[in-house]
Structure formats: structure tokens, C-alpha cells
Amino acid sequence: MDAPDVVIAGAGPAGASAAIALAELGHRVVLLDRARFPRHRIGESLPPKVDTLFALLGVSRRIEQAGFVRMAGTTVHQGDHTISHEFDPERGALGYQVDRARFDQLLLDRARETGAEVIEEAHVLDVERGSDGRAVGVQVRHTDGGHESIEVIPGSFFVDATGTSGVLSRALGLRRKESVRTLAISGYFAKSRTPDSFPAPNTLFEMTRTGWIWSVLLADGRRNVTIGVDLGELKSSGKAIDAVYQDRLEESLLVGPLVRGEEPSSPIAAHDATGYTSERYVECGCLLAGDAASFIDPLTSQGVYKAIHSGIHGAAVINTILRRPADAETAIAYYDELQRLAHERYTEVAVGFYRASPFADEPFWQVRSRSELFLEAFSLEEARSRGDRRARFVDLMRKEGGRSLRVAKTAAFTVALRPTIEAGFVVRAPAVVKGRELVLSSDRLNVELLASLIDGRLVADVFEGYLAASSEPRSQETARALTRALGRLYERELITVDHSSRLP
Ligand SMILES: Cc1cc2nc3c(=O)[nH]c(=O)nc-3n(C[C@H](O)[C@H](O)[C@H](O)COP(=O)(O)OP(=O)(O)OC[C@H]3O[C@@H](n4cnc5c(N)ncnc54)[C@H](O)[C@@H]3O)c2cc1C
């Protein structure tokens, strides 16, 4: 057979998404996984924003037909009270609780359909490098019906999507330091009680003195109950994981009562839930996607979204490197920045959660809200004030409306050329930046046009002017995209909003 253009190791959400996007761009793709699908995987809770990625992958209808549980939000128990939050109370956007065996199979089927060659039970062992250090092939062990063989599969480019194994990332020495070590212990209960004070499909989080408890309900009625513990503390206690699991459920006030008296229907399993990131995300002809690039705290429930996002964007980066080599450097810098920022943002979310704990002074919580890696990644105070400003903008829009608010640029508002994705390639396009930070890219909106309209006009006139001059449809979606864009500019202090000039 001809050598494939791209060899992808790992067929979870990151690998399958990269395969779909690359095959659709016309590349010959080989997708390898050591497992035979369907295979179980933890990580079932997906946020509503994942719908945009499903549309890009061409799986929206299949996802709808799959009948996964839909949930409106989360229920959190901290200390002595329980609060339920909706993702989007205004529009009622819903997330998903997916059975990962079925969900990952669905993406894999789509990868096959788009033309990727999928090889299961193909365990990637190592990377083969040429004299210049670039990857030229991967060494694979096939186990077909118990029969083993070793093969080197050559390619022009490689993707490490092997999740936390990070087989190529480790071989290339790219994995960066880890944060404090967390172990997640999970069990599935075939039967559970229906809560009466919050919606059963919600993702449940419970903060206890010594860790967290997380739970989701799947469409077949199983309830996943996972506890997060400090690995060091677990080891020094000398207790078996089953005993620790039972003890924590006994103490639990939110999740425990739903499964009390029931036994897990399958053996409980331990998962390393320790965060890490990578030094670089594209190196020596290999791109890291999903968990192979970085692992974010499971409490964020964003790992699958991040994995799919990196697969789709990584595909455009590889497409650019292979077909427009002159733009390779821009494409690599773009992906590096994208992955670094994603890791920082989700870390920000996780630290916010740990800091909000009523047990913030207890070692489990303290160390996770002050970890060196977390502090290095972002400034919490800055993140908080950003959130406040965004909330103020949304509030203003709601109360005042676009006919009584004027928007104008501040001195920090700059439009510069920054990399973005257009038609499967990384290109340089106008973006709003604040210093080095990319605030608004031209992914969805014509940034130059929007910037030209923010000159002291009423928000409603900005919208009208934009719709008249751009090719965007006059739809709710465009209005929302414009509102989000203005909110983001306000949050980053790039525009001022004046609501004193109310019209009669
Ligand atoms: C306790 C816990 C709870 C979580 N909860 C959530 C949640 O609620 N929501 C959420 O979005 N995320 C959650 N996550 C994270 C989520 O599971 C991952 O971020 C997501 O699965 C990453 O997708 P991926 O494609 O990068 O890797 P994976 O899904 O891990 O897929 C990697 C694939 O690579 C294959 N592979 C591994 N090594 C090799 C090899 N050497 N050769 C060939 N194939 C190989 C594996 O078989 C696997 O199919 C959770 C994680 C944990 C640990």
C-alpha cells in the first residue's frame, strides 16, 4: 500500500476527530488503536458548546439519534448547602451524559465513512525517526485473533492521540511537569434512586473535607459515581481503594444517598487524574492532540470537548504543513498557542472550583488551589475581574438593550494579523489583540468590519451596519455572535459602553 499522509495513534475523540477532518481535506489517513471498539472509557459529561464541534464533524444527527441523556446543568454540594446551576438559563442549552463506548464508536464509524483506514488492536510501541530527528514511522504491534505481529507504518506526519499514555509525546520527550497527584476511583451502579430536590440528569459534584465526589446518570440507567482522592494520602493510609471508595460514599451527603445499599455492578476502577501539559505541541513531524497534549482536571468536564477541538484544529495545522510548507511555522505557532491557552483556561476553571471549597484550608483543597503549575498558568484575580466585567455587560444589554448603549474603542484596542483557520488552512487574518493576547479572531466574524463600526455608535446600529455590509445571515445566531464579541471586548477593557445617552 502507498504510505499514508498522516498516521494517527489513538482513536478516542481526539484521534477520531483529527482523522475525520484530515480525511475530509483529502488526506490518506491511518487511524490506529490498541483496543477493539466498542471499548469503555470514563469521561461522560459534555458541555452544550460541543454541538458546534459535532456539526463540523458531520455527526449532529447521529448524536441526536443516539439518545444520550441531556442535562441542563450541574448540582454542587459544598459544605452544608446544595446549589443547582443551569448552563444557560435564558436559552436552555443542554449538555450530554454520553456512554463513551457508544459515543467513541460513533466517531470512529464517522472516521471510517470519511475514508480513514481504521486499524483496531494495533498497539503503537514507538516512533521511528529519520537522520534529521523527524518522525518517519511508528512501530506497531498487531494482535489479530491472538496472533501477534510487529510492523512499521510509515507516514508524512503523525498525531499522538493516545490519551494519557502519550506514547509518541513521551518518545519525543515533550511531556511537561505534572501537578499534584490525584487518583479518581469510579464505580457504576445499575440501580440508583431518583433525587427529589434536583434534576437527576445533572452532573453532580460534592466537596468533602478529603476530596470530591462526582456523579452522572447514563441513558441505560447506570450511575457513574467517581471519587477524587490525593494519591499520596491514599498510599500513606495503606487502605485498599475499595475500602476508601466505600468510606467516602458512606460520608457523602449528595451522591451517597442515591446509591446507598446498592453494590457497583462492575468492579471499581482507578484512573490517574493528575494534570500535566507539554513543552511543545508540534515537534519532529508529530502533533499532540487531546489528553496526549495536556490533561485537565476532570472536574471541569471539558476533556472530551478539548480533545475534539484539538483534533479538528490540529487537522488544519497538519494540512497547512503538508500543503503550504511556507506557512508551516505560522501553523505550528498557532497550534502551540491554542493548546497552551486551552490548558491555562481550563486550569483557571478548576482552580476557581478548588478555591470556592468550604474546605479550602484542608490539605486536599489547599494544595490544589495553590499548585505551582496552576499559579504559573494564570492570575486568578485577573480571571475573576474578567468574569465580573462580562457579567456586567450581559446585565447592561439585558436592562438597557442595544438602542440605548453606545460603544467606543479604548486606546488598547488594536487590530493585527494573527493566525486563524480558514477553509482547512491556517492563515493570517485580522484579529483584535490586546498586547500579545488574541481577544477576537476572524473565526466567526469579520473582525475588521466590526472594529470599524465601534466608534461611539449605538449597539443596535453596530448590528445593523454589520448585517448590511457583511455576508452573514440576519439571524439570532449572528446577533448572539455579535453580542458575545462585544461582551468579550468589554471584558478585556477594549471598548467602553456608555448608557447615559438614552434615546427618547
Ligand atoms: C475520572 C475522570 C473523569 C473524567 N470526566 C470527564 C467528563 O465528565 N467530561 C469530559 O469531557 N472529560 C472527562 N474526563 C477526561 C476525558 O476522559 C478525556 O479528556 C478524553 O477521553 C480525552 O480524549 P482523547 O481522545 O485525548 O483520549 P482517550 O479518550 O483516552 O483515547 C485514547 C485512545 O488511545 C488508545 N491508545 C492508548 N495507547 C495506545 C497505544 N500505545 N497504541 C494505540 N492506541 C493507544 C486508547 O485505547 C484510546 O482509545 C475524565 C477523565 C477522568 C480520568
Side-chain angles (χ1 to χ4, degrees):
M1 80 176 185
D2 291 339
D5 300 320
V6 187
V7 179
I8 302 173
S17 303
I20 294 165
L22 280 160
E24 289 207 314
L25 288 165
H27 293 279
R28 272 183 49 83
V29 178
V30 170
L31 178 59
L32 308 164
D33 203 289
R34 66 181 177 196
R36 176 150 292 279
F37 283 63
R39 55 100 180 88
H40 171 67
R41 179 82 178 83
I42 197 163
E44 293 104 336
S45 193
L46 314 186
K49 66 180 179 182
V50 76
D51 278 335
T52 319
L53 303 184
F54 290 159
L56 291 174
L57 295 173
V59 296
S60 305
R61 175 164 302 190
R62 271 170 245 198
I63 292 281
E64 201 185 310
Q65 288 169 345
F68 296 123
V69 169
R70 306 298 309 267
M71 82 294 201
T74 56
T75 297
V76 182
H77 181 86
Q78 39 191 115
D80 56 0
H81 61 286
T82 302
I83 314 172
S84 292
H85 305 270
E86 284 183 34
F87 295 121
D88 183 351
E90 293 216 327
R91 287 188 294 140
L94 300 174
Y96 299 85
Q97 311 288 14
V98 300
D99 171 350
R100 286 288 302 276
R102 284 202 294 133
F103 177 76
D104 289 19
Q105 176 79 62
L106 188 154
L107 294 182
L108 192 69
D109 290 346
R110 176 74 183 141
R112 271 203 184 93
E113 187 183 279
T114 52
E117 183 184 352
V118 177
I119 311 178
E120 297 173 60
E121 296 180 324
H123 194 135
V124 176
L125 301 172
D126 207 350
V127 59
E128 304 250 324
R129 305 223 230 169
S131 53
D132 59 357
R134 277 181 66 85
V136 293
V138 286
Q139 198 186 79
V140 182
R141 185 177 63 225
H142 298 279
T143 44
D144 196 359
H147 182 77
E148 278 200 6
S149 60
I150 303 268
E151 179 192 15
V152 172
I153 301 185
S156 305
F157 216 90
F158 298 84
V159 176
D160 187 351
T162 57
T164 50
S165 317
V167 63
L168 304 182
S169 142
R170 285 179 205 265
L172 295 169
L174 296 176
R175 188 156 288 188
R176 220 179 82 183
K177 70 182 173 190
E178 301 196 339
S179 58
V180 56
R181 302 208 64 184
T182 304
L183 193 73
I185 310 172
S186 62
Y188 288 83
F189 292 81
K191 280 196 276 173
S192 62
R193 279 173 208 92
T194 304
D196 47 24
S197 56
F198 53 85
N202 272 9
T203 305
L204 312 182
F205 297 114
E206 184 170 354
M207 301 178 179
T208 71
R209 201 176 49 74
T210 49
W212 46 255
I213 305 175
W214 176 96
S215 181
V216 297
L217 186 66
L218 302 180
D220 61 6
R222 279 179 305 148
R223 181 169 276 287
N224 172 350
V225 176
T226 297
I227 66 163
V229 298
D230 185 278
L231 186 62
E233 197 191 313
L234 178 79
K235 279 186 177 158
S236 59
S237 77
K239 287 188 182 164
I241 59 167
D242 291 69
V244 173
Y245 188 75
Q246 287 307 335
D247 288 354
R248 295 289 162 90
L249 283 194
E250 282 301 315
E251 292 161 18
S252 161
L253 298 172
L254 179 74
V255 179
L258 302 180
V259 293
R260 202 145 287 150
E262 301 290 339
E263 286 296 319
S265 45
S266 50
I268 64 164
H271 310 267
D272 192 350
T274 307
Y276 55 76
T277 187
S278 305
E279 206 61 65
R280 288 175 302 285
Y281 304 93
V282 188
E283 183 76 1
C284 301
C286 178
L287 178 139
L288 314 184
D291 284 1
S294 68
F295 186 79
I296 53 174
D297 196 302
L299 286 186
T300 60
S301 298
Q302 303 281 335
V304 171
Y305 177 88
K306 178 174 94 58
I308 297 176
H309 191 271
S310 68
I312 295 174
H313 287 73
V317 169
I318 295 171
N319 187 43
T320 308
I321 295 171
L322 294 179
R323 291 189 175 146
R324 292 184 185 163
D327 293 337
E329 227 171 89
T330 305
I332 293 171
Y334 166 77
Y335 191 73
D336 271 340
E337 176 87 346
L338 197 72
Q339 292 310 307
R340 192 182 58 72
L341 282 178
H343 184 254
E344 281 183 17
R345 293 218 180 99
Y346 293 125
T347 301
E348 191 175 294
V349 172
V351 171
F353 191 80
Y354 287 109
R355 291 224 171 147
S357 166
F359 307 107
D361 293 336
E362 296 288 340
F364 178 88
W365 298 93
Q366 206 176 41
V367 74
R368 282 164 183 77
S369 51
R370 295 218 185 113
S371 137
E372 207 188 307
L373 180 63
F374 292 161
L375 287 183
E376 184 187 280
F378 76 104
S379 148
L380 184 75
E381 299 319 318
E382 197 195 327
R384 280 212 178 113
S385 80
R386 275 196 223 171
D388 289 350
R389 282 186 66 79
R390 192 171 40 212
R392 279 208 298 281
F393 179 80
V394 172
D395 213 38
L396 270 176
M397 281 292 281
R398 202 176 288 139
K399 283 193 197 130
E400 305 284 333
R403 287 250 143 252
S404 56
L405 297 174
R406 289 181 189 278
V407 281
K409 298 187 197 79
T410 66
F413 192 115
T414 315
V415 175
L417 286 182
R418 291 296 290 267
T420 185
I421 291 180
E422 261 178 38
F425 286 95
V426 178
V427 296
R428 292 173 76 78
V432 179
V433 295
K434 184 178 182 184
R436 286 191 56 239
E437 185 195 0
L438 174 74
V439 178
L440 202 64
S441 79
S442 61
D443 274 6
R444 308 255 166 78
L445 292 172
N446 179 337
V447 163
E448 265 179 323
L449 173 60
L450 180 62
S452 72
L453 295 165
I454 302 175
D455 57 0
R457 259 172 243 235
L458 291 169
V459 169
D461 293 341
V462 172
F463 280 31
E464 280 305 321
Y466 187 89
L467 288 168
S470 80
S471 53
E472 314 275 346
R474 182 175 284 273
S475 65
Q476 285 270 343
E477 198 37 58
T478 310
R480 270 190 220 115
L482 286 166
T483 308
R484 269 198 304 271
L486 291 179
R488 186 148 170 72
L489 294 171
Y490 182 67
E491 171 192 309
R492 303 302 295 124
E493 299 180 40
L494 293 179
I495 59 170
T496 54
V497 179
D498 171 12
H499 54 103
S500 58
S501 51
R502 201 174 302 237
L503 288 179

